[in-house]
Amino acid sequence: MELLGQSWWKVGEPDFTPYITAILAAKPDAVIVATGGRDCVPFLKAAKATGFNEKVPFYMHTATELSTLKPLGLDAPEGVIGTSNYFFYHPDTPENKAFVAAFQKAYERYPAVGAVYGAMAANFIKDAYEKAGEVDTEKFIDALEGLTVQTPVGPVTMRAYDHQAMLPMFMGVTKKSPDHDFLIATDIVTIPGDQVIPTIEENKKARGE
């Protein structure tokens, strides 16, 4: 693999066209777009306007996330590879369907990834205090380490070493759906949580332990 170049724009950059033009001029076989936060939606909008997604395959984390795609509606670009910790339509399990139904009843909209983060955090807190048996900070921490809770995406464990929730990551490709007025992810591949985050050995090396 050969790295042809890198482009860096300021957070909140209003015009991505010059960057896209420069990227295409380098004639890459693929592109990794490392946007963050507020840049995700406007970059996809620029990609559609310039035909970027039709000229070169590119990956962008959260490109398949509901919070990114819904604001763009059917104007989001198709064929973009993206990742997210949650899709309301995947996995197709009774647990996820029940979560979506309950969320829709309460809020009259589809749950995005933040809804799962919130529900998962609440379950970790509840289960850890129940395991600890009392409201005590140190006992709560001890109970939390290595604890596994049930979530809409399956069981998730809190790694004892660094208190990292080991969530799976879902990779898919943006595509229009006859059932929605926004794009969804298709061809979804599940990446297990222990393959998403750095290993304990890698963390120890980075920390000089």
Side-chain angles (χ1 to χ4, degrees), residues 8-103:
W8 302 92
W9 55 74
K10 295 180 180 180
V11 175
E13 173 66 53
D15 184 12
F16 293 102
T17 303
Y19 300 96
I20 291 175
T21 300
I23 291 171
L24 292 176
K27 298 181 179 180
D29 293 321
V31 177
I32 297 175
V33 180
T35 58
R38 60 187 292 180
D39 290 339
C40 296
V41 173
F43 187 87
L44 286 185
K45 186 175 181 180
K48 177 67 177 292
T50 59
F52 184 45
N53 58 302
E54 298 176 352
K55 297 170 183 175
V56 60
F58 75 91
Y59 160 80
M60 187 182 88
H61 177 53
T62 75
T64 49
E65 155 61 20
L66 178 63
S67 300
T68 302
L69 292 174
K70 193 171 183 180
L72 292 170
L74 297 177
D75 291 328
E78 290 191 278
V80 180
I81 304 168
T83 42
S84 177
N85 288 126
Y86 180 69
F87 300 132
F88 68 86
Y89 43 85
H90 184 87
D92 186 15
T93 60
E95 292 80 7
N96 190 34
K97 288 180 178 179
F99 176 75
V100 173
F103 188 92

Side-chain angles (χ1 to χ4, degrees), residues 120-149 158:
M120 180 178 63
N123 284 337
F124 269 120
I125 294 170
K126 177 183 71 69
D127 289 2
Y129 272 124
E130 288 179 351
K131 183 179 177 181
E134 61 180 299
V135 180
D136 179 275
T137 300
E138 292 304 318
K139 289 183 178 180
F140 172 79
I141 293 172
D142 291 342
L144 188 63
E145 293 179 342
L147 183 65
T148 298
V149 298
M158 183 71 70

